Amino acid sequence: MRTTYRVTEHCCMLGASNGFMTTLNSVALLGSEAVSAIVGLYPLCNLRHAFRHTHRAQVKQAYGIVTDEDTEFAEKTAGSDPCCRDWHGWSIEPEHRPPALLIGSAQDRVLPMAEHAVKWGELYRANGSTAELIRVNGQEGQAAQEAQRAQIVQAGHGDWRHFRQDDIVHWFKTKGV
C-alpha cells in the first residue's frame, strides 16, 4: 500500500547527524515547493566517507551491500550520495533549491566537518544554491554527562553547542523563511 502525502505549506527541515541524509532525500522527493529551508546539525552528507571511515555497517545494511569493495558501494548507492555530482537531489533546479544552514565542529572526528558539511556546502554552492556554515567548538563537554555521551562530545560530534536556536531563528528570518 502506498501512502501519498500532500504538503500544502512550506516547511523547514532540520536533520542532525545521520538524519541529515533523510532531510536531503526528503527535499529531493518533496521539492522546493514544499521545503523552504534546510538545517543540518553535525550533518552526515558524504556517504562515501561514512562508508569508508565511520558508518560502514550502517551504510552496508541500508543499501544491501555485502562486501567492503568500493565497486559494490558505487553500484548500490548510485545517485544517493549528496557529495557526488550524480546525486538525485541535484535534479531540482538551482534557483529552486532551498537555502541550507550547516552547523558543525572542526573537532568532529565522527563526521569530520571538512568531509561532510564543508564539502557538501561547497558542492551545493557550486551548483548555484545557498549554503552557509557555522563552526562551533565541540571539544568542551559537561562534567556530569554520562560516559557514552562524554565520548561522543570528546569526538566533537553531537555537542549541545550545535543546537544554536538563536542563530537558526535569525538565519530563518534573514532568508525570509
Side-chain angles (χ1 to χ4, degrees):
M1 182 170 139
R2 182 179 174 164
T3 303
T4 304
Y5 297 94
R6 184 169 173 245
V7 179
T8 58
E9 294 183 24
H10 282 288
C11 67
C12 301
M13 298 190 73
L14 183 144
S17 192
N18 294 3
F20 191 65
M21 287 288 292
T22 302
T23 297
L24 292 177
N25 287 327
S26 296
V27 171
L29 290 171
L30 294 171
S32 58
E33 53 280 347
V35 181
S36 58
I38 55 177
V39 175
L41 306 178
Y42 45 95
L44 187 155
C45 42
N46 184 339
L47 198 56
R48 181 175 301 281
H49 182 273
F51 175 73
R52 288 182 177 164
H53 302 285
T54 59
H55 293 73
R56 183 177 298 271
Q58 295 94 328
V59 173
K60 286 174 76 171
Q61 182 179 7
Y63 290 91
I65 299 170
V66 179
T67 70
D68 289 334
E69 299 299 321
D70 281 345
T71 53
E72 184 184 11
F73 167 85
E75 176 186 307
K76 296 222 173 145
T77 64
S80 299
D81 191 344
C83 277
C84 288
R85 297 220 180 258
D86 70 341
W87 180 53
H88 292 306
W90 298 134
S91 62
I92 301 171
E93 294 300 319
E95 63 273 10
H96 298 296
R97 293 182 196 139
L101 175 64
L102 306 168
I103 302 173
S105 168
Q107 291 82 25
D108 193 335
R109 293 187 308 267
V110 176
L111 298 173
M113 198 172 177
E115 289 295 328
H116 290 270
V118 172
K119 187 173 184 177
W120 184 81
E122 288 171 353
L123 279 169
Y124 203 62
R125 284 189 299 276
N127 279 283
S129 304
T130 301
E132 297 176 34
L133 185 63
I134 295 177
R135 295 176 203 281
V136 298
N137 180 354
Q139 283 297 92
E140 301 167 20
Q142 295 178 336
Q145 292 177 327
E146 61 189 84
Q148 182 181 13
R149 176 82 176 123
Q151 288 174 352
I152 292 171
V153 170
Q154 287 175 2
H157 188 74
D159 188 273
W160 61 273
R161 285 167 194 76
H162 288 101
F163 298 94
R164 301 176 62 123
Q165 299 91 336
D166 293 341
D167 289 335
I168 293 170
V169 169
H170 174 76
W171 182 79
F172 283 148
K173 288 179 180 178
T174 62
K175 297 299 171 201
V177 179

